[in-house]
Amino acid sequence: MQRGPRTLNGENDTQVLAAAMAQAWRAPLLVYLSGELGVGKTTLVRHLLHAFGHQGSVRSPTYNLVEPYALDIGPVFHFDLYRVEDPEELELIGWRDYLAEAALCLVEWPERAQPLLPPADVEVFLQLHGHQRLATVRAEGGQGAAWMQRLAWPTAELAS
């Protein structure tokens, strides 16, 4: 099941999209965020966490690989695998333990840890198209399909 691509004309559009996505999500859910460097993956995660009620800053966990958040919806783990050189590095941080929790796991750069990672429930693809960004969302399996059914994807272009 797929939705998009949706044009994101600015950060406000990313925030609107993140709010719609956050309303649909229930944990546990494994979400992969893919796209080129600088396309807005961490920005989308920041807006998602704020939509879930997080009040503080959101840092990219590039060096420590994972940043945990204790939110009202339950635990959220933000992974950034950009610097992973060997997928086995995930075993060193206890990757399977994070997945065993009833948590929302947001994973940037999942391709860096293949084939170790399990299939995602939801995949978000961000790409540059000229000066704009495009967002496409794909969902698989029971959890992903249920999320996609709840998603109130905008029917018209988002307005900045």
Side-chain angles (χ1 to χ4, degrees):
M1 196 175 227
Q2 181 171 309
R3 300 231 180 129
R6 172 65 56 219
T7 301
L8 304 175
N9 291 309
E11 189 164 343
N12 187 58
D13 283 359
T14 302
Q15 185 176 10
V16 169
L17 180 58
M21 294 168 76
Q23 286 186 353
W25 283 349
R26 308 289 184 277
L29 202 62
L30 179 58
V31 179
Y32 291 167
L33 298 113
S34 299
E36 298 173 20
L37 189 64
V39 79
K41 295 179 295 294
T42 302
T43 300
L44 180 61
V45 169
R46 182 178 73 242
H47 287 302
L48 281 167
L49 291 171
H50 288 164
F52 289 132
H54 177 67
Q55 299 295 315
S57 64
V58 174
R59 298 175 292 152
S60 180
T62 302
Y63 292 100
N64 57 351
L65 299 183
V66 63
E67 189 71 35
Y69 297 90
L71 302 176
D72 289 345
I73 65 159
V76 176
F77 300 109
H78 176 202
F79 294 86
D80 185 332
L81 306 183
Y82 182 73
R83 297 206 184 275
V84 168
E85 293 182 20
D86 182 343
E88 292 298 320
E89 290 177 50
L90 292 179
E91 296 298 341
L92 297 174
I93 65 166
W95 167 257
R96 294 176 202 279
D97 295 334
Y98 290 107
L99 290 182
E101 288 194 43
L104 175 59
C105 293
L106 305 167
V107 182
E108 295 185 45
W109 298 98
E111 61 276 8
R112 303 278 183 152
Q114 294 299 343
L116 184 64
L117 298 180
D121 298 308
V122 174
E123 294 178 276
V124 179
F125 301 95
L126 298 172
Q127 66 187 61
L128 292 175
H129 184 70
H131 294 291
Q132 299 175 320
R133 288 174 169 79
L134 299 177
T136 303
V137 178
R138 183 172 42 211
E140 299 290 335
Q143 287 288 87
W147 173 83
M148 188 70 89
Q149 297 254 331
R150 292 187 299 268
L151 177 62
W153 188 261
T155 56
E157 288 297 313
L158 298 168
S160 291

